[in-house]
Amino acid sequence: MANKVANARVELPKWRQILNVSLPVDLSYIPIGLACGILLNASGFNVWTTLMVSVMVFSGGAQFLIASLLATNAPMYSVVLMLFFLELRYALLGSSLSKYLHGESLKFTAIFAASMNDENYAINYLKFSTDKKFTPQDALKVEHFTLLFWAVSNIIGSLIGNAIHIDLTVVHFALTALFLYMIVMQLKEWLLIVICILSGFLAVFFLVLTKSTLGLVISTIVSSLIGFAIEAQIRKHNPKSRWIHPMKNPAGSPVEEDLEDEEE
C-alpha cells in the first residue's frame, strides 16, 4: 500500500508537484488578498487597476500602503518614495537567491525578480537549499502560482468592495496593524527597540515640520542612518555588546535547552 502511494506521488505532473509546494502560501493569500482588494476598492481602485497593481507590485504590505496613502490624498512622490524604502529589502533577498540563478538569461532574471515576494522567496530558498533537483524554472512556477492566487483574491475582494460599503478608517487600521506586526516580529535586539522609538518621535517631528507625508520618508531615512551608524560603532568598539545581540527568549531555545541538558 505504501509503495502505491509513493508511486502515485511520483507520477504527479510537474505543475502539480510545484502547486503542492506553494499551496500553503497560496491558501494563506486568499483571506489577506480579499481584504486587500476590498481596501483598494475603497481607496478608488476599480477591478482593472486592482489587477494591475496586484501583478505589477505583488506585495501585500506595499498595496496596503498604497491604499492608505491614497485614501489620505498623499502626493504621488510620497507614495513612490515610501514604496521604494519599503520594498528595498528585496535587493537583499534577491541577492541570496542569485547564486542559484547562474546561467539564466536577463529576461528570465527580470521576470523572476518581478514575481518575487517574501513568502515565495522563503519557499524557493528552502527548496534550493534542500532539494538538488529543484530548478530556477520550478522556482519561477512557485512565484507564478502565488501571484495567481494573490491577484485572483484581490480581484474578488474588489468585486466584493463594489457590493458593500467600506469605511475608509478601516484602511488606516489595517495598515497600522500590519506594520505593528512587522515591527514586533523584528524586535529582537535592544538597539532595534531604541531606533523604533526614535523613528516614532522623528516621524511626528517631521510630519509637523513638513505638514505632509514626506515627513515619514525623511524620518525613515534619518532613523535608518542613525541606527546604521550606531550599530557600526558598537560592532567596531564592543562587538559583544548586548545592544546588538538577540535578546534571550523567555521560553528558551533549542540551543539553550541542549546546553542545559549537557550541564545536567
Side-chain angles (χ1 to χ4, degrees):
M1 183 65 181
N3 291 335
K4 291 182 178 180
V5 173
N7 290 335
R9 289 178 180 174
V10 172
E11 293 172 0
L12 285 175
K14 191 65 175 179
W15 71 268
R16 279 289 305 276
Q17 296 177 35
I18 301 300
L19 177 61
N20 289 343
V21 170
S22 66
L23 196 58
V25 169
D26 297 338
L27 295 178
S28 71
Y29 276 172
I30 294 175
I32 303 174
L34 290 174
C36 187
I38 292 172
L39 295 179
L40 285 172
N41 178 267
S43 298
F45 284 74
N46 59 31
V47 174
W48 295 110
T49 51
T50 297
L51 174 61
M52 288 179 62
V53 76
S54 300
V55 174
M56 297 178 68
V57 178
F58 190 27
S59 170
Q63 289 179 220
F64 277 106
L65 180 65
I66 291 172
S68 176
L69 292 177
L70 292 182
T72 57
N73 297 317
M76 189 55 62
Y77 69 84
S78 180
V79 176
V80 173
L81 286 173
M82 290 296 291
L83 288 178
F84 173 77
F85 288 109
L86 177 64
E87 304 299 275
L88 196 58
R89 67 188 186 278
Y90 288 126
L92 296 176
L93 297 182
S95 64
S96 66
L97 285 180
S98 61
K99 59 184 177 182
Y100 301 110
L101 304 178
H102 287 163
E104 299 298 332
S105 65
L106 179 61
K107 178 182 178 181
F108 178 92
T109 305
I111 296 174
F112 187 92
S115 308
M116 187 181 71
N117 69 357
D118 300 90
E119 292 77 22
N120 60 42
Y121 160 80
I123 293 175
N124 287 333
Y125 190 84
L126 178 62
K127 290 295 291 182
F128 276 129
S129 303
T130 59
D131 187 353
K132 294 182 179 180
K133 296 182 179 180
F134 195 72
T135 67
Q137 287 70 29
D138 294 335
L140 184 62
K141 289 185 178 70
V142 168
E143 292 185 348
H144 286 172
F145 274 124
T146 56
L147 175 59
L148 176 63
F149 273 78
W150 176 256
V152 171
S153 298
N154 276 192
I155 292 172
I156 296 175
S158 180
L159 294 173
I160 294 174
N162 278 326
I164 60 177
H165 173 70
I166 301 294
D167 190 345
L168 288 180
T169 55
V170 176
V171 178
H172 310 307
F173 171 78
L175 184 70
T176 302
L178 174 66
F179 282 96
L180 281 175
Y181 170 79
M182 294 174 68
I183 291 173
V184 170
M185 291 301 292
Q186 297 182 65
L187 294 182
K188 298 179 181 179
E189 300 174 3
W190 287 108
L191 180 58
L192 285 176
I193 295 177
V194 173
I195 296 302
C196 282
I197 296 173
L198 174 64
S199 64
F201 282 108
L202 289 176
V204 174
F205 173 77
F206 284 112
L207 280 173
V208 173
L209 185 66
T210 61
K211 295 182 174 60
S212 73
T213 52
L214 180 62
L216 295 176
V217 177
I218 298 174
S219 64
T220 300
I221 297 173
V222 173
S223 58
S224 298
L225 291 175
I226 292 174
F228 176 78
I230 294 175
E231 182 178 3
Q233 289 299 313
I234 293 176
R235 291 189 182 278
K236 180 179 179 180
H237 299 290
N238 188 13
K240 296 183 179 180
S241 173
R242 64 187 180 91
W243 287 97
I244 59 174
H245 285 281
M247 292 180 287
K248 184 176 180 181
N249 186 347
S253 65
V255 176
E256 293 171 354
E257 292 169 1
D258 290 342
L259 291 175
E260 290 175 0
D261 292 340
E262 290 176 5
E263 292 175 358
E264 293 176 358

